[in-house]
Amino acid sequence: MKFLNFLIILSAAIALTFTSCKKDDDHDDTDHLHEGNVTIDFDHVWGATEEAFSLNKELTHPMLNEKMTFNIFKYYVSNVRLKAKDGSWYAMPESYFIVDADPSGSNLVTIPNVPGGEYTDVEMTFGMDSTRNTSGAQSGVLDPAKGMFWSWNSGYIMLKAEGTAPTAANGTFTFHLGGFKGENKVQTTKSYNFGTTALVVDGDREAEIHMVANPARLWHGAEKLSVKSVNTMPNALAKSMSSNYYDAVRFDHIHN
Amino acid sequence: MIRHKIRFLLFFLLIWGTSCQKDQDKSDFGLAYPDYFPEPYYKFGKNTLTKEGFELGRALFFDPILSIDSTISCASCHSQGHAFADHNTRMSFGIDGKMGDRNSPAMFNLAWQPIFMWDGGINHIEVMPFAPITNDVEMGETLENVIEKLKKHPKYVQRFQSVFGEKPIESQQLFYALTQYMTMLVSDDSKYDQYRQGKVSFTKDEEDGLQIFKAKCASCHTEPLFTDFSLRNNGLEILGDDFGFGRITLHEEDNYKFKVPSLRNIALTYPYMHDGRFRTLEQVLDHYSQGIVSHPNLDKNLISNGKLGIPMSDVEKQKIITFLQTLTDYTFISNPIFSE
């Protein structure tokens, strides 16, 4: 009996030990809803008609009136936060994602272990905070081997769009957009309100946020591909193209 | 029962002891430097400096596996005998005999260096090797492919695991190991250092040279590292279209600015300037005294009393050169722990 008591105490002690190493990420969760995952789905559409966008599909840009076929379209999204009904925020730690139109990657951003509750807003940064651009070698989704980091001018490529276009100089277009400082800073934080219906996080219950993004917007205000088909460094064009794209990303609906 | 308790208690203590603590340093291996050096700029942080990590970085530094056709290693253009500059060539050769467009800089005291490359485009030592590895005219490789090659190399898999633990090799580990090696390249045993430490005395000319140097050169080449790590336009004649720092910022006021190099080991690292245009220290000093070309953003240290250049007599120049030769660190260039 004594031994059993001891075992109970011991296991409690071990449990305590393990929890003592964890970071304090407790969230006041007074109601009955359970922790769950939230998924943000980026639906890519093309132009004013919002036809389906996909790689390796010939598209016509409605403003440039030039044909283009993407073979790369991806961008960083970081620092995702959710606003609860009571006005408090849940910020996902280490929140960095590459949204990729290629099926080998993903157009989904998954926020794991969100405290159970009802949420009214999502906030995210397109691109990346400047700290990560100046902190040396990173890993995971921030690994420079992902091809989204400039070797010669340190900083992340925050959006990459490449493909072929018959009107472009070499028949190809290459846009690597980024920049984290000064007037060429392209990272942009945006917040979206879900309107009347709240996003409910409750264990395995589906909690999806659907966003619509339109790559054609990159060339709103940019020159024709026959004039300019390459831009691979932080500059005013990178700033204006990425801003035009980010500004047009919109919240569409939630799935509960 | 008591014995059981003790056994459980021991087991519990063991779990507790290992669960929270990271492995302590296995030795007193570390970055050593004289007390007149400032605090290093680089903080190792998550990159725990160990002898094994340093040795792994050294193996990688000398291994052409980092290049696409296994012909070029870091050491190909950064040779210890030349204070890790190239072998006194103006430009360096990469894969397929391709030639770069700048002079390979020397490598030492990098733990104190906040920016890298002649144009200052790289903001952190850990990501510095990314540039030569992937540059078309240097190693011409992709980071992804380097990692794949290392993963297939049993010797490296085992060494990476012993340094970084049992996880797949990632570029971060490659960069961490190279950084450990690069930051350990401390040059602090030149005659100048021995003089500062009171171990030797300077000749009259060396002493004179030091005083002239302090008056004419030290505003940019600041002791004891002999650089202030700034980017400046030093009045070179424009040859070619290398805009230096202006290429990074796209600001006209940064055009033709280049990083102020350290003058330690300078006698070993000719030719000089970002494009290796000057072969001798005499030519360099002639440039500063009477060769300065006017630029809108010319460094103001290069104008005195409305005239371009730093006034120096031939005797003064000779004494400065005599002093600069005391910055050669023979211990550093022959130290076997930095060798393959």
Side-chain angles (χ1 to χ4, degrees):
Chain A
M1 201 59 212
K2 247 185 165 181
F3 178 61
L4 201 65
N5 278 342
F6 176 73
L7 264 186
I8 291 165
I9 292 166
L10 181 74
S11 41
I14 289 175
L16 266 176
T17 311
F18 282 115
T19 52
S20 68
C21 288
K22 265 196 213 165
K23 281 207 179 142
D24 190 4
D25 55 6
D26 282 347
H27 191 270
D28 268 335
D29 186 14
T30 42
D31 60 28
H32 58 286
L33 300 177
H34 298 96
E35 178 182 282
N37 297 346
V38 170
T39 304
I40 307 174
D41 184 338
F42 286 87
D43 186 14
H44 296 112
V45 299
W46 182 254
T49 59
E50 302 204 339
E51 66 173 292
F53 172 88
S54 71
L55 300 184
N56 308 312
K57 171 183 177 184
E58 191 179 69
L59 301 158
T60 302
H61 194 282
M63 287 172 80
L64 308 179
N65 197 24
E66 288 173 300
K67 290 192 189 323
M68 54 201 305
T69 306
F70 287 73
N71 49 45
I72 294 175
F73 185 68
K74 53 185 173 181
Y75 51 97
Y76 273 110
V77 168
S78 65
N79 296 297
V80 181
R81 302 201 295 164
L82 289 163
K83 189 180 187 180
K85 255 193 165 162
D86 64 6
S88 67
W89 287 90
Y90 172 73
M92 178 191 169
E94 287 298 305
S95 175
Y96 298 96
F97 303 91
I98 293 174
V99 175
D100 193 344
D102 192 294
S104 69
S106 177
N107 64 329
L108 304 177
V109 162
T110 301
I111 314 158
N113 311 320
V114 178
E118 294 185 36
Y119 295 88
T120 58
D121 297 74
V122 64
E123 185 190 87
M124 63 189 86
T125 297
F126 292 97
M128 196 182 309
D129 47 279
S130 60
T131 311
R132 290 292 173 149
N133 285 277
T134 55
S135 303
Q138 309 288 314
S139 63
V141 75
L142 299 174
D143 186 336
K146 300 279 179 201
M148 299 284 277
F149 192 85
W150 278 300
S151 64
W152 57 280
N153 186 358
S154 303
Y156 282 93
I157 296 169
M158 300 191 192
L159 186 151
K160 206 172 196 180
E162 292 183 16
T164 57
T167 52
N170 298 316
T172 60
F173 64 91
T174 307
F175 289 89
H176 297 175
L177 311 180
F180 62 90
K181 55 191 171 190
E183 74 278 12
N184 295 330
K185 185 178 117 164
V186 311
Q187 75 269 36
T188 309
T189 300
K190 298 269 182 195
S191 187
Y192 305 92
N193 182 269
F194 306 144
T196 47
T197 322
L199 179 77
V200 181
V201 175
D202 186 15
D204 290 337
R205 176 177 168 161
E206 194 173 52
E208 280 182 17
I209 303 167
H210 286 260
M211 307 295 294
V212 173
N214 196 329
R217 286 278 185 163
L218 286 165
W219 287 273
H220 275 223
E223 289 182 285
K224 284 174 97 75
L225 294 166
S226 56
V227 177
K228 179 87 184 164
S229 55
V230 178
N231 195 59
T232 57
M233 67 179 298
N235 55 17
L237 181 60
K239 166 89 184 155
S240 69
M241 289 183 76
S242 55
S243 300
N244 283 333
Y245 176 71
Y246 298 154
D247 288 350
V249 176
R250 68 165 204 267
F251 165 74
D252 198 67
H253 64 281
I254 50 175
H255 263 301
N256 271 317
Chain B
M1 199 52 79
I2 295 278
R3 194 186 293 165
H4 265 299
K5 268 191 188 179
I6 290 173
R7 198 177 289 168
F8 271 110
L9 203 64
L10 280 176
F11 175 67
F12 164 70
L13 284 173
L14 189 77
I15 289 179
W16 181 75
T18 53
S19 63
C20 287
Q21 251 175 301
K22 276 196 177 163
D23 279 0
Q24 291 296 312
D25 268 3
K26 287 161 192 151
S27 66
D28 57 357
F29 187 82
L31 190 67
Y33 52 91
D35 57 9
Y36 50 86
F37 271 32
E39 279 284 301
Y41 180 84
Y42 179 68
K43 307 284 178 245
F44 285 87
K46 282 193 290 175
N47 186 13
T48 309
L49 179 63
T50 61
K51 188 164 181 287
E52 291 74 16
F54 161 81
E55 286 170 351
L56 173 58
R58 181 176 64 194
L60 292 161
F61 188 86
F62 285 95
D63 196 334
I65 194 170
L66 299 187
S67 65
I68 190 161
D69 58 2
S70 293
T71 57
I72 303 289
S73 71
C74 306
S76 302
C77 306
H78 296 283
S79 158
Q80 186 180 7
H82 299 274
F84 293 94
D86 205 347
H87 305 73
N88 303 129
T89 55
R90 189 165 169 184
M91 309 294 182
S92 301
F93 290 98
I95 52 160
D96 298 330
K98 290 177 184 165
M99 198 168 74
D101 54 5
R102 288 188 185 143
N103 184 251
S104 295
M107 293 174 58
F108 49 79
N109 301 344
L110 299 177
W112 285 266
Q113 191 169 311
I115 51 169
F116 296 84
M117 301 293 159
W118 279 106
D119 57 24
I122 295 180
N123 65 19
H124 199 289
I125 189 171
E126 288 168 7
V127 291
M128 201 285 300
F130 184 28
I133 290 171
T134 56
N135 189 305
D136 286 347
V137 299
E138 296 181 51
M139 294 175 173
E141 188 48 293
T142 66
L143 213 42
E144 232 178 337
N145 203 35
V146 169
I147 301 305
E148 284 314 304
K149 288 191 285 187
L150 293 172
K151 280 180 177 170
K152 286 183 194 143
H153 201 300
K155 183 190 80 177
Y156 276 122
V157 170
Q158 184 264 316
R159 291 184 75 169
F160 272 92
Q161 285 191 355
S162 93
V163 176
F164 298 106
E166 302 240 342
K167 49 189 169 194
I169 300 176
E170 267 199 316
S171 78
Q172 188 182 52
Q173 299 163 24
L174 167 70
F175 291 142
Y176 277 1
L178 284 168
T179 298
Q180 293 196 25
Y181 175 70
M182 292 190 293
T183 48
M184 284 294 287
L185 299 174
V186 176
S187 177
D188 63 355
D189 197 30
S190 63
K191 185 173 182 186
Y192 163 84
D193 293 292
Q194 293 166 7
Y195 163 84
R196 291 257 332 218
Q197 294 160 25
K199 293 177 184 162
V200 298
S201 48
F202 269 175
T203 64
K204 173 83 172 61
D205 279 0
E206 287 166 348
E207 182 63 48
D208 289 352
L210 170 59
Q211 295 313 319
I212 303 163
F213 177 86
K214 283 183 175 175
K216 313 243 178 200
C217 315
S219 56
C220 305
H221 297 285
T222 318
E223 291 178 82
L225 298 168
F226 291 89
T227 169
D228 65 353
F229 302 111
S230 59
L231 295 141
R232 297 171 188 259
N233 182 327
N234 65 338
L236 292 170
E237 185 192 343
I238 297 171
L239 307 173
D241 57 359
D242 189 342
F243 289 100
F245 190 41
R247 194 178 77 130
I248 301 299
T249 65
L250 302 179
H251 293 158
E252 225 172 296
E253 66 266 28
D254 293 327
N255 281 352
Y256 309 110
K257 281 189 183 177
F258 294 93
K259 195 181 65 203
V260 174
S262 172
L263 299 185
R264 285 178 170 270
N265 300 299
I266 196 72
L268 302 171
T269 61
Y270 64 88
Y272 305 112
M273 304 295 138
H274 66 278
D275 55 5
R277 67 177 68 190
F278 299 135
R279 274 202 80 70
T280 65
L281 289 171
E282 284 81 0
Q283 286 174 348
V284 173
L285 291 177
D286 287 347
H287 163 72
Y288 283 118
S289 68
Q290 62 246 10
I292 297 292
V293 171
S294 182
H295 291 256
N297 62 347
L298 177 68
D299 194 75
K300 61 182 186 316
N301 289 298
L302 298 175
I303 306 170
S304 58
N305 301 323
K307 288 175 92 176
L308 296 180
I310 305 169
M312 285 179 277
S313 70
D314 286 350
V315 174
E316 285 178 322
K317 287 180 192 170
Q318 220 37 65
K319 286 182 173 174
I320 290 172
I321 290 170
T322 303
F323 164 68
L324 290 176
Q325 276 155 353
T326 72
L327 298 178
T328 302
D329 183 348
Y330 295 101
T331 312
F332 176 67
I333 64 168
S334 59
N335 189 338
I337 80 155
F338 301 141
S339 309
E340 193 166 8

